[in-house]
Amino acid sequence: MRLVFAGTPEVALPSLRALLESDRHEVVAVVTRPDAPSGRGRRVERSPVAALADELGIEVLTPAKAGDPAFQARLKELEPDLCPVVAYGALLPESALAIPRHGWVNLHFSVLPAWRGAAPVQASVRHGDDITGATTFRIVKELDAGPVFGVVTERVRERDTAGDLLGRLAESGAKLLLSTVDGIADGTLRPVEQPSEGVSYAPKVTVDDARLDFGTPAAAIDRVARAVTPDPGAWAEFRGERLKLGPVLPVEVPDGEPLAPGEIRAERKRVLVGTATEPVALGDVQAQGKKRMSATDWARGARIEAGERIS
């Protein structure tokens, strides 16, 4: 089939490569978000999907909005049979959905109808799910509500960050997407409507969502920190400045006085912070304007005083 692939970040690359390597289909173009500032220097860069397409000489379409008449006119000229989508990052109007013969098929990183929305993997980690997965479905007007073609499942490991889990789902999801496209081409795959029960939503994670509250239980702090790693990254305040924090680890403290929520105790091999339950050991720490370092190195440089707290 003739395919126009829509995707933007690095997580979409395994799926794009799988489709490109198939001898059954032809990727005639990609649709991706426009070039945008990235990194510390805020240099304008191509998206990972656009960069790969440039390397391979594939046409790249970067509409500001998918409703742009010029974009839709070009899409019609390309005559795609199907448009596979992985993390494109923009809404698709019905006028665009109607162009490909077999519609648009999205790879979404949850087992639908759970965690519809922009951040399903982060939500799965944050809420302590044991099992998650990926789903292929036909895109319709309502958010992530279209009929399902296929599902793969994945166990959420005890110390998974969102980045760890998303990396595995990107690989298994790529195989699912390719098999879905094959099944649509063969006429052997029919989508099934999603159940009306079990619907949940995962909105985009903001920087405010990534702030750790040491007045909550250690298990909840641990899940939040892992859910926002690597992006946007967990943080708290210390001495009036923002402190970026890597994942934390709930620990038992057999000796010594209990720690109040937020209270810091710097030991020789670890740095503990009190919570509403047991303390957590800090992982990497990055003070404002400084490089990321181990918590013990940070504590030595900061010269933590008895009773100081992270807020």
Side-chain angles (χ1 to χ4, degrees):
M1 289 199 296
R2 288 174 61 84
L3 307 177
V4 172
F5 179 87
T8 298
E10 190 171 347
V11 71
L13 296 183
S15 289
L16 176 55
R17 289 192 177 102
L19 295 170
L20 288 167
E21 291 167 4
S22 172
D23 58 7
R24 299 192 57 190
H25 312 292
E26 179 188 9
V27 178
V28 296
V30 302
V31 184
T32 190
R33 299 295 293 149
D35 300 356
S38 179
R40 280 192 170 186
R42 308 304 293 164
R43 292 174 53 188
V44 175
E45 295 182 358
R46 300 283 265 173
S47 75
V49 165
L52 179 58
D54 289 342
E55 181 184 328
L56 299 175
I58 299 171
E59 182 177 352
V60 178
L61 307 176
T62 57
K65 294 183 177 180
D68 178 12
F71 162 68
Q72 293 195 14
R74 179 57 186 149
L75 190 60
K76 289 176 182 177
E77 290 173 353
L78 290 167
E79 297 183 337
D81 296 305
L82 179 71
C83 291
V85 184
V86 183
Y88 171 46
L91 295 176
L92 297 165
E94 290 183 275
S95 55
L97 295 178
I99 293 173
R101 185 160 59 97
H102 292 289
W104 299 64
V105 174
N106 191 40
L107 172 66
H108 183 77
F109 296 113
S110 79
V111 179
L112 291 171
W115 303 131
R116 295 175 180 177
V121 175
Q122 293 92 330
S124 188
V125 174
R126 188 173 192 134
H127 286 80
D129 292 348
D130 294 319
I131 299 291
T132 186
T135 304
T136 50
F137 68 96
R138 177 174 291 144
I139 295 179
V140 297
K141 184 178 180 180
E142 186 181 349
L143 179 66
D144 298 337
V148 169
F149 287 101
V151 174
V152 292
T153 58
E154 175 74 32
R155 184 175 67 85
V156 183
R157 299 171 187 171
E158 184 178 3
R159 299 307 307 158
D160 266 342
T161 65
D164 296 332
L165 183 55
L166 186 56
R168 297 200 305 275
L169 289 172
E171 296 296 335
S172 59
K175 297 175 184 176
L176 172 64
L177 181 61
L178 178 58
S179 67
T180 297
V181 174
D182 287 345
I184 293 171
D186 294 337
T188 58
L189 196 56
R190 295 288 183 270
V192 177
E193 294 295 331
Q194 293 184 35
S196 57
E197 302 81 21
V199 176
S200 54
Y201 291 93
K204 183 179 178 180
V205 176
T206 68
V207 172
D208 287 342
D209 295 329
R211 183 171 188 168
L212 301 184
D213 179 0
F214 290 97
T216 57
I221 296 167
D222 168 42
R223 291 199 303 267
V224 171
R226 288 186 291 110
V228 298
T229 299
D231 295 311
W235 65 279
E237 283 190 0
F238 178 69
R239 295 176 182 170
E241 294 186 346
R242 184 172 295 189
L243 197 67
K244 293 183 179 180
L245 302 171
V248 301
L249 181 67
V251 297
E252 294 182 5
V253 183
D255 301 312
E257 293 295 321
L259 292 171
E263 184 180 357
I264 307 170
R265 179 184 295 163
E267 299 181 347
R268 190 166 65 88
K269 293 186 177 180
R270 63 184 182 178
V271 177
L272 303 180
V273 180
T275 76
T277 54
E278 69 269 29
V280 295
L282 298 184
D284 290 342
V285 175
Q286 185 175 6
Q288 197 165 319
K290 302 287 184 65
K291 293 182 178 180
R292 185 173 289 269
M293 62 185 71
S294 69
T296 51
D297 287 344
W298 165 76
R300 279 193 293 270
R303 303 192 180 195
I304 305 298
E305 298 178 5
E308 279 199 284
R309 299 191 183 193
I310 292 179
S311 63

